[in-house]
């Protein structure tokens, strides 16, 4: 595996950066292609990420034949009149997001057999809300030998109230409801932009989904679905990560085609810290101040502050003047990056899901390892401003969600390289 070496110091990031299509949109979009029984779904603006290759392999294994033109960032998913019922362990165990193939399989075949997704470093990540929703739509759920099995002669529309606005559960239940008999209402549904993107594709494929982006989504079941063309929505978390990079380095960066609407809480918090935003013709210009002011953040489901920006924002709080507070309310164990940042001199007190961060402008570069996808980016951002050299290992996490991350930072002026890691871990 590789490692990234970044030299901190006086780098002020300057220039323009292009943002890829959203990882957290394209994965459910690929699962949605399983619902078409004829035609082709053509996805453009597809990000080239390891998670996309994994979902491609699973969807292709299930029967929708996938061809991925990486040059053109385009996927053609050719529908199959039949799809398999089992999503095997070797696919699902590698990526928990695979669980969203369960809804389409159940909708198409009246049964689904999906390997239990593993937990992961940020929490146990159960799927009880997914399964309870399927049961309310008439499926019987059993579990054996590490597989979840769902059976329903024909899924029936139901009125489902989600205890928590789970993104995955909302996606899985929308997917299942598109071919169910009758109307399904999802209350307290997730409102993320990726849910809207999924509903847009499904409606192009012949489904009838209304209310995506609000907390009540109504899906009228249809008989069949067909091919469509769709461009993947821009990745608001990659865009947000570069906004924080500019903020931390007194930078002046234009985030091309950024959708400010998708990052309201982040923009509001960074503005509180002294960052300047200007909407321009070709994108959003982000200018970082001489010194960031401390601020308090609490992560919440959309439209609240996104948990996927928590570690990057913590890196900004680490160098801000004064004491900041970070409260993580979405996942139960998403502060591991703070332990790694302590190695760089971060002073932080952690009590359950609350971190008190003492801003410090004398952080020192160190050897650190990333603990999850977003933590990787956060550690690299901190390395941009810490004195000396920071080495970040376990880049397999980074490659799941960021395309050419170090190259994009280098193009903005960062002193950063990615090299083979002879004595590194994975
Ligand atoms: C999606 O995960 C994203 N992943 C995550 O992004 C993101 O952090 C998360 O939504 C929240 O925004 C993808 O879209 C592939 P949830 P998901 O279901 O769907 C609990 C990244 O870095 N919960 O909204 O798994 C769960 O334990 C990744 O790109 C249940 O209790 O998130 C968690 O505490 C990380 N029961 C909370 O809800 C359930 O049945 C949020 O989970 C489902 C979830």
């Amino acid at each position: 595996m590789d490692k990234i070496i970044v030299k901190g110091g006086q780098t002020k990031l300057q220039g323009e950066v292009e943002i890829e299509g959203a990882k957290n949109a394209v994965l459910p979009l690929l699962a949605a292609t399983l619902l078409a029984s004829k035609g082709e779904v053509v996805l453009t603006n597809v990000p080239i990420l390891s998670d996309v290759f994994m979902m491609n392999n699973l969807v292709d294994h299930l029967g929708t034949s996938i061809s991925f033109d990486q040059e053109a960032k385009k996927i053609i998913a050719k529908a199959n009149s039949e799809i398999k019922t089992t999503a095997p362990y070797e696919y699902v165990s590698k990526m928990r997001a695979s669980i969203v193939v369960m809804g389409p399989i159940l909708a198409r075949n009246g049964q689904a057999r999906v390997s239990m997704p593993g937990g992961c470093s940020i929490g146990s990540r159960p799927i009880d809300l997914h399964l309870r929703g399927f049961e309310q739509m008439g499926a019987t759920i059993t579990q054996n030998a590490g597989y979840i099995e769902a059976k329903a002669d024909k899924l029936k529309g139901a009125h489902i109230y989600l205890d928590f606005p789970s993104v995955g559960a909302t996606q899985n239940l929308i997917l299942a409801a598109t071919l169910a008999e009758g109307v399904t209402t999802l209350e307290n549904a997730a409102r993320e932009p990726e849910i809207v993107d999924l509903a847009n594709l499904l409606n192009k494929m012949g489904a009838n989904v209304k209310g995506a982006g609000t907390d009540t989504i109504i899906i009228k079941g249809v008989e069949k679905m067909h091919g469509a063309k769709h461009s993947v929505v821009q990745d608001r978390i990659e865009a947000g990560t570069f906004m924080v990079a500019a903020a931390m380095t007194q930078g002046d960066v234009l985030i091309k085609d950024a959708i400010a609407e998708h990052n309201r809480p982040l923009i509001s918090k960074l503005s509180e810290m002294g960052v300047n935003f200007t909407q321009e013709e070709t994108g959003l210009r982000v200018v970082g101040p001489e010194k960031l002011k401390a601020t308090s953040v609490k992560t919440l489901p959309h439209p609240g502050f996104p948990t996927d920006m928590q570690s990057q924002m913590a890196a900004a709080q680490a160098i801000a003047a004064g004491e900041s507070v970070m409260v993580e309310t979405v996942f139960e164990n998403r502060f591991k990056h703070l332990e790694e940042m302590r190695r760089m001199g971060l002073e932080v007190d952690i009590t359950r899901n609350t971190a008190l961060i003492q801003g410090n402008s004398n952080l020192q570069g160190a050897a650190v390892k990333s603990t999850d996808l977003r933590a990787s980016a956060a550690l690299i951002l901190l390395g941009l401003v810490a004195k000396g050299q920071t080495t970040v290992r376990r880049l397999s996490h980074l490659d799941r969600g960021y395309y050419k991350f170090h190259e994009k930072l280098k193009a903005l002026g960062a002193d950063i390289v990615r090299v083979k890691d002879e004595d590194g871990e994975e």
Side-chain angles (χ1 to χ4, degrees), residues 234-253:
Q234 188 187 77
D235 193 322
R236 63 194 165 99
I237 305 300
E238 185 191 10
T241 303
F242 280 99
M243 290 180 200
V244 173
M248 291 175 68
T249 58
Q250 303 166 39
D252 177 352
V253 175

Side-chain angles (χ1 to χ4, degrees), residues 191-192 236 262 264-266 298-307:
R191 299 166 54 184
E192 275 71 2
R236 63 194 165 99
H262 290 176
R264 284 267 162 264
L266 174 67
K298 176 188 272 195
T299 68
L300 287 166
H302 196 79
F305 189 96
T307 174

Side-chain angles (χ1 to χ4, degrees), residues 291-349:
K291 184 87 187 144
L292 289 167
K293 296 190 198 85
T295 185
S296 297
V297 176
K298 176 188 272 195
T299 68
L300 287 166
H302 196 79
F305 189 96
T307 174
D308 290 349
M309 283 302 306
Q310 184 251 105
S311 52
Q312 301 90 309
M313 177 52 100
Q317 293 175 315
I319 60 164
E323 178 177 273
S324 295
V325 181
M326 176 59 78
V327 183
E328 169 58 60
T329 73
V330 176
F331 287 104
E332 71 267 24
N333 185 21
R334 202 171 194 176
F335 277 156
K336 285 199 180 134
H337 47 280
L338 297 176
E339 305 299 339
E340 291 300 309
M341 291 178 183
R342 276 196 171 121
R343 294 173 49 74
M344 301 168 75
L346 175 69
E347 291 160 57
V348 59
D349 289 311

Side-chain angles (χ1 to χ4, degrees), residues 255-266:
I255 318 269
K256 289 193 74 184
D257 307 322
I259 308 167
E261 192 47 40
H262 290 176
N263 267 310
R264 284 267 162 264
L266 174 67

